[in-house]
Amino acid sequence: MKVKVIPVLEDNYMYLVIEEHTREAVAVDVAVPKRARPLPGALCTRAWRPNTGSYLDHLHLPNSHPFQLLEIVGREGVSLTTVLTTHHHWDHARGNTELARLLPGLVVLGADERICALTRRLAHGEELRFGAIHVRCLLTPGHTLGHMSYFLWEDECLDPPAVFSGDALSVAGCGSRLETTAQQMYHSLVETLGTLPPETKVFCGHEHTLGNLEFAQKVEPWNNHVKAKLSWAKGLGSSPQTGELSQPAWSCQTRL
C-alpha cells in the first residue's frame, strides 16, 4: 500500500492510496480534483458561511501550471476507481462532482447523504476491499454527525496499518465539535480511534500541528512530552505551504 500525500487549499490534505499489485487507486477527501495547494503569489480570500458552519475560499491563482490530482494518477500509472469521503464539508468533498464527471463510473462513498456526488452510503463497521487492501469504515461523529474514518491494512504486510481520520483526529488535536454531543465525540476519539493498534499511522485532514501543540503547551507548560513534540514539529516546518509535511506524523501509541 502506497500513500501519496497531497496538500490542498490552505492547510488541507487529500490522499491517493495505491494498491501496488493491481494498480488500483482510492482517493480520500477530494477537495479539488485539479488545483492543489495555492502557488506562490496566489491570493486567497475567505468568507464565513453561517448556514454550513464553514468557510468558503476563493483562490486567485497567478499564471502558472497548477499541480493536478489526475496528473498524479497518470504519473503513477494507476486506475482511480473510488473516493472515500470522511464528511460533507466543502473542503473535503467539493471536488467529488467534477471528478465524477471526468471519470465516469467513479464510486463516491461516505456516511453522510450531504456528501457531493455520493453514490453509496456506508455503515459503521462495513468492510471494503481493494485488491490486497482492506478498509474498515469507522463512524466517528463529533466534528459532524456523519463523519466516517477509514482504517486500512494489508494481509501479510510488514507495513503498519493506517487510519484516514479527516477532521475527527489531527496531530495533537481534533476537529471542532459542530453537530454532536461531547459524549459522542469522546466515544469517537477514545473508544473507536483510541483502540486501534498502537502502530497505526494517522493521516488526518488538516495541518494544524503547530497550533495544536502551541495551545497544549500553554495549557500544560510543564508537560515535557508536549515540549518534545512541539520541537519536533517546528523542525519539520509542519506546513503544507512550505512543502514540509508532518504526515504521517502520529501513531495511536503517541497520542496526546
Side-chain angles (χ1 to χ4, degrees), residues 89-103:
H89 287 167
W90 75 273
D91 59 330
H92 295 261
R94 183 179 62 179
N96 291 351
T97 301
E98 183 180 358
L99 193 62
R101 180 184 63 82
L102 295 170
L103 298 175

Side-chain angles (χ1 to χ4, degrees), residues 17-174:
V17 182
I18 299 171
E19 210 282 16
E20 296 185 86
H21 299 290
T22 65
R23 306 307 294 170
E24 182 178 5
V26 177
V28 180
D29 281 357
V30 180
V32 283
K34 292 184 177 180
R35 290 192 182 96
R37 64 171 181 257
L39 300 172
L43 173 65
C44 179
T45 58
R46 169 168 282 198
W48 176 251
R49 299 192 301 178
N51 58 321
T52 61
S54 62
Y55 287 98
L56 177 63
D57 283 348
H58 300 275
L59 292 178
H60 309 279
L61 295 170
N63 293 325
S64 56
H65 184 63
F67 206 49
Q68 297 185 2
L69 168 63
L70 293 180
E71 285 183 354
I72 300 173
V73 170
R75 185 177 301 128
E76 292 290 330
V78 298
S79 175
L80 178 58
T81 64
T82 306
V83 172
L84 299 176
T85 304
T86 59
H87 61 295
H88 74 282
H89 287 167
W90 75 273
D91 59 330
H92 295 261
R94 183 179 62 179
N96 291 351
T97 301
E98 183 180 358
L99 193 62
R101 180 184 63 82
L102 295 170
L103 298 175
L106 182 74
V107 177
V108 179
L109 303 175
D112 195 320
E113 292 180 351
R114 295 172 291 181
I115 292 171
C116 297
L118 186 73
T119 57
R120 186 167 72 82
R121 188 174 178 180
L122 298 170
H124 176 67
E126 185 174 347
E127 294 199 0
L128 311 171
R129 189 78 180 263
F130 301 97
I133 300 175
H134 297 262
V135 181
R136 181 175 300 141
C137 304
L138 303 174
L139 192 62
T140 46
H143 183 61
T144 66
L145 187 61
H147 193 291
M148 185 74 83
S149 298
Y150 301 97
F151 178 65
L152 279 64
W153 77 97
E154 286 183 301
D155 292 331
E156 300 179 0
C157 179
L158 297 178
D159 294 334
V163 64
F164 294 83
S165 58
D167 285 359
L169 177 68
S170 59
V171 182
C174 60

